[in-house]
């Protein structure tokens, strides 16, 4: 579970900015809180703010850090990710820190990144149970060139020392010590379990952007669990779909609706990936949704279609509304939640009716009660700002400052009562984080201003 995330010098987050999932003293909506080793942690949080306030940038910051941990620095573009409004920030490091609960322990992991060199400046991992202990601290010495690794642990043998020496090599400047040790340490070696647990936490993190195509939807078509079966949930959310069917197709013809210039390379990539790893893959564009399965070395294609009440005339993906298509990307979240993952969604309400979004949230809490999963989402729908739906400490605001940096703060700081109409207060500007419109001048006003300026110049 995520307890706290802090970021500095990333896009609109100029100064160190912290987002917390620690639960306050509020007693309402007790099912929205889970207790881990005595700490009360929220299962959900939702962020509001004006356009261009920085809501999406917070999700981007988590995604950026996750990809560095799981895929390496070469998987991200470090260009212009710093706070670009002020030139000195180009040379300052970006800082990302996660306080998490995993593997039965609490950890604080983070790193500082040079955007100019696309290299790790500093990295740390602490275990923060009853007493804080440093598992490792990777840092530069006074000369700014030499890398050393400190630790409070008494690691047996020479493995840790050798790994620490390796990371000091300039060629390893783009490699995270956490990822390196998680990959290289033997699974049976308990001393290195914290590295594997934290790295696995990042691999299990789910980030969904407005136009993400979440591939796990194919698993839900055949699911035996009625709580998460795709057809059941599409009926539940009143999409007009009675059932989802898979139509077996010739592998070559399955991609006839995809652009010709990418079909051959796409088929080759799918074929190679499934033959190497097995399982299934889902490929989607705006027109169709095709699942490819590897069965005993042979590839089979299945086109997902929807029955809207006439089994003789099935609907393709392109026939569905924007809202239904959005649900195809969001419903797999429930499977990830049952697996105990942390899920972040940018623009949860995009193309969805307010009541559907509200029910999507309610169902998450009902489905995952006492399950260590979390849902963190940005939204523009003020109707969701309802204390019958959410706790005060689950409501967050992002506001753009005069210097164009983002400020992040919680409704809980205002100490509002549970019976307060917070949506009305928000729209009236009580909490900030709303658009402020400057008055536009008419052409006549502009001419008048110019004449007045000319007279002043004379």
């Amino acid at each position: 579970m995520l307890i706290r995330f802090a970021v500095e010098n990333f896009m609109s987050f100029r100064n160190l900015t912290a987002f917390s999932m620690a639960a306050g003293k509020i007693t309402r909506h007790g099912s929205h809180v889970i207790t881990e080793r005595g700490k009360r942690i929220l299962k959900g949080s939702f962020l509001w703010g004006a356009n261009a306030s920085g809501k999406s940038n917070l999700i981007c910051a988590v995604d950026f850090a996750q990809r560095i941990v799981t895929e390496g620095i070469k998987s991200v573009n470090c260009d212009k990710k710093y706070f670009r409004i002020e030139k000195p920030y180009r040379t300052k490091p970006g800082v990302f820190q996660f306080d998490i609960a995993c593997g039965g322990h609490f950890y604080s992991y983070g790193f500082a990144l040079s955007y100019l060199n696309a290299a790790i400046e500093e990295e740390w991992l602490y275990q923060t149970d009853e007493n804080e202990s440093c598992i490792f601290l990777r840092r530069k010495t006074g000369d700014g060139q030499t890398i050393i690794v400190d630790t409070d642990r008494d690691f047996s043998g020479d493995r840790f020392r050798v790994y620490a020496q390796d990371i000091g090599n300039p060629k390893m400047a783009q490699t995270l010590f956490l990822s390196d040790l998680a990959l290289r340490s033997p699974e049976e070696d308990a001393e290195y379990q914290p590295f594997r647990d934290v790295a696995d936490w990042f691999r299990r993190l789910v980030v969904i952007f407005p136009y993400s195509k979440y591939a796990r939807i194919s698993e839900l078509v055949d699911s035996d669990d009625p709580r998460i079966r795709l057809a059941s949930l599409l009926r539940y959310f009143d999409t007009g779909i009675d059932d989802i069917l898979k139509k077996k197709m010739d592998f070559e013809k399955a991609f006839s609706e995809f652009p010709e210039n990418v079909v051959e390379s796409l088929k080759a990539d799918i074929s190679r990936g499934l033959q190497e790893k097995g399982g299934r893959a889902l490929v989607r564009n705006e027109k169709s949704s095709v699942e490819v399965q590897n069965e005993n070395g042979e590839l089979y294609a299945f086109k997902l279609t929807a029955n809207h009440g006439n089994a003789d005339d099935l609907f393709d993906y392109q026939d569905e509304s924007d809202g239904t298509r959005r649900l195809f990307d969001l419903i797999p979240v429930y499977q990830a939640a049952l697996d105990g993952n942390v899920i972040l969604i940018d623009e949860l309400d995009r193309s969805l009716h307010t009541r559907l979004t509200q029910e999507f949230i309610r169902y998450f809490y009902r489905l995952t009660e006492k399950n260590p999963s979390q849902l963190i989402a940005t939204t523009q729908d003020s109707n969701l700002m309802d204390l019958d739906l959410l706790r005060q400490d689950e409501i967050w605001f992002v506001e753009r400052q005069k210097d164009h940096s983002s400020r992040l703060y919680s409704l809980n700081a205002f100490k509002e009562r549970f019976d307060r109409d917070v949506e009305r207060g928000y729209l009236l500007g009580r909490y900030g984080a709303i658009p402020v419109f400057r008055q536009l001048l008419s052409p006549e006003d502009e001419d008048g201003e110019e004449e007045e300026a000319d007279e002043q110049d004379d």
Side-chain angles (χ1 to χ4, degrees), residues 46-49 55 379 381-382 384-385 390 395-398:
F46 301 84
L47 298 95
W48 281 263
K55 301 186 302 297
T379 177
D381 191 346
S382 62
L384 304 179
M385 203 178 292
L390 304 174
I395 296 174
W396 285 77
F397 302 107
V398 184

Side-chain angles (χ1 to χ4, degrees), residues 370-404:
K370 299 181 181 179
N371 180 295
S373 56
Q374 292 171 300
L375 175 62
I376 301 165
T378 70
T379 177
Q380 295 282 19
D381 191 346
S382 62
N383 292 292
L384 304 179
M385 203 178 292
D386 182 351
L387 296 184
D388 287 331
L389 176 67
L390 304 174
R391 295 161 51 98
Q392 290 94 316
D393 48 7
E394 292 179 301
I395 296 174
W396 285 77
F397 302 107
V398 184
E399 185 175 65
R400 186 175 68 252
Q401 305 295 287
K402 289 183 178 180
D403 64 0
H404 297 276

Side-chain angles (χ1 to χ4, degrees), residues 288-390:
S288 61
S289 182
V290 178
E291 179 186 285
V292 182
Q293 294 184 11
N294 182 358
E295 298 179 8
N296 300 319
E298 287 199 43
L299 297 177
Y300 296 89
F302 299 84
K303 190 173 184 178
L304 299 187
T305 57
N307 181 351
H308 279 261
N310 182 359
D312 296 325
D313 193 354
L314 301 176
F315 282 53
D316 291 332
Y317 182 73
Q318 65 178 339
D319 300 324
E320 302 296 344
S321 69
D322 287 342
T324 300
R325 293 188 196 185
R326 180 61 167 162
L327 283 174
F328 271 75
D329 298 315
L330 294 181
I331 284 176
V333 161
Y334 294 133
Q335 175 65 67
L338 288 177
D339 292 340
N341 294 345
V342 179
I343 302 149
L344 294 94
I345 304 176
D346 190 25
E347 296 186 24
L348 170 63
D349 57 308
R350 186 180 69 80
S351 299
L352 300 182
H353 190 279
T354 290
R355 290 197 62 184
L356 195 157
T357 311
Q358 290 172 334
E359 190 56 33
F360 185 92
I361 294 170
R362 289 192 183 98
Y363 190 70
F364 167 81
Y365 285 122
R366 291 199 302 272
L367 181 68
T368 65
E369 188 172 1
K370 299 181 181 179
N371 180 295
S373 56
Q374 292 171 300
L375 175 62
I376 301 165
T378 70
T379 177
Q380 295 282 19
D381 191 346
S382 62
N383 292 292
L384 304 179
M385 203 178 292
D386 182 351
L387 296 184
D388 287 331
L389 176 67
L390 304 174

Side-chain angles (χ1 to χ4, degrees), residues 127 141 274 305:
Q127 187 169 324
T141 58
L274 291 184
T305 57

Side-chain angles (χ1 to χ4, degrees), residues 48-320:
W48 281 263
N51 294 107
S53 61
K55 301 186 302 297
S56 295
N57 289 345
L58 186 72
I59 307 296
C60 287
V62 175
D63 178 68
F64 184 80
Q66 181 204 25
R67 284 189 288 146
I68 291 176
V69 173
T70 58
E71 302 174 36
I73 292 179
K74 292 182 180 179
S75 69
V76 300
N77 181 5
C78 293
D79 186 39
K80 297 182 179 180
K81 290 299 189 293
Y82 51 87
F83 182 69
R84 296 169 59 188
I85 307 303
E86 297 183 21
K87 191 174 181 179
Y89 282 83
R90 180 172 178 267
T91 60
K92 293 183 178 181
V95 180
F96 306 84
Q97 178 166 321
F98 296 80
D99 295 344
I100 64 175
C102 66
H105 299 281
F106 296 117
Y107 297 103
S108 181
Y109 171 74
F111 58 87
L113 169 72
S114 167
Y115 294 116
L116 283 178
N117 303 320
I120 302 299
E121 295 285 299
E122 192 170 333
E123 185 185 4
W124 57 91
L125 176 62
Y126 289 81
Q127 187 169 324
T128 57
D129 293 341
E130 290 77 18
N131 298 310
E132 182 176 282
S133 65
C134 175
I135 298 176
F136 78 85
L137 171 60
R138 169 190 187 176
R139 61 183 177 86
K140 290 184 176 180
T141 58
D143 62 10
Q145 300 297 323
T146 307
I147 300 291
I148 62 172
V149 179
D150 299 321
T151 181
D152 290 342
R153 299 291 179 92
D154 293 322
F155 289 97
S156 60
D158 294 328
R159 180 176 288 119
F160 184 86
R161 179 182 58 79
V162 171
Y163 291 167
Q165 288 176 346
D166 289 346
I167 209 69
N169 189 317
K171 294 181 180 180
M172 299 289 283
Q174 294 187 317
T175 302
L176 289 172
F177 194 53
L178 174 79
S179 305
D180 188 46
L181 263 69
L183 180 65
R184 297 168 63 185
S185 62
E187 291 187 8
E188 65 274 10
D189 196 331
E191 286 184 309
Y192 295 89
Q193 193 61 43
F195 293 89
R196 295 189 291 272
D197 285 344
V198 174
D200 183 62
W201 185 89
F202 279 96
R203 281 192 294 271
R204 290 159 52 88
L205 192 63
V206 176
V207 182
I208 300 176
F209 290 103
Y211 298 99
S212 297
K213 300 300 179 187
Y214 194 23
R216 289 191 68 177
I217 190 172
S218 58
E219 299 176 21
L220 304 189
V221 177
D222 304 317
S223 176
D224 294 328
D225 188 342
R227 299 176 302 167
I228 58 173
R229 188 181 301 125
L230 182 61
S232 300
L233 286 171
L234 288 171
R235 287 195 298 270
Y236 178 74
F237 288 122
D238 193 26
T239 62
I241 294 176
D242 292 339
D243 200 6
I244 293 291
L245 305 170
K246 291 200 294 188
K247 179 182 177 183
K248 194 169 185 178
M249 300 180 64
D250 178 79
F251 184 78
E252 296 296 323
K253 293 181 180 179
F255 299 96
S256 60
E257 295 176 337
F258 287 73
E260 292 184 7
N261 61 329
V262 299
V263 167
E264 291 305 318
S265 61
L266 183 62
K267 288 191 296 185
D269 290 343
I270 295 172
S271 177
R272 182 173 57 254
L274 291 184
Q275 286 175 355
E276 291 175 355
K277 301 179 182 179
R280 66 182 86 187
L282 186 74
V283 183
R284 261 189 293 163
N285 63 8
E286 292 303 314
K287 292 186 177 181
S288 61
S289 182
V290 178
E291 179 186 285
V292 182
Q293 294 184 11
N294 182 358
E295 298 179 8
N296 300 319
E298 287 199 43
L299 297 177
Y300 296 89
F302 299 84
K303 190 173 184 178
L304 299 187
T305 57
N307 181 351
H308 279 261
N310 182 359
D312 296 325
D313 193 354
L314 301 176
F315 282 53
D316 291 332
Y317 182 73
Q318 65 178 339
D319 300 324
E320 302 296 344

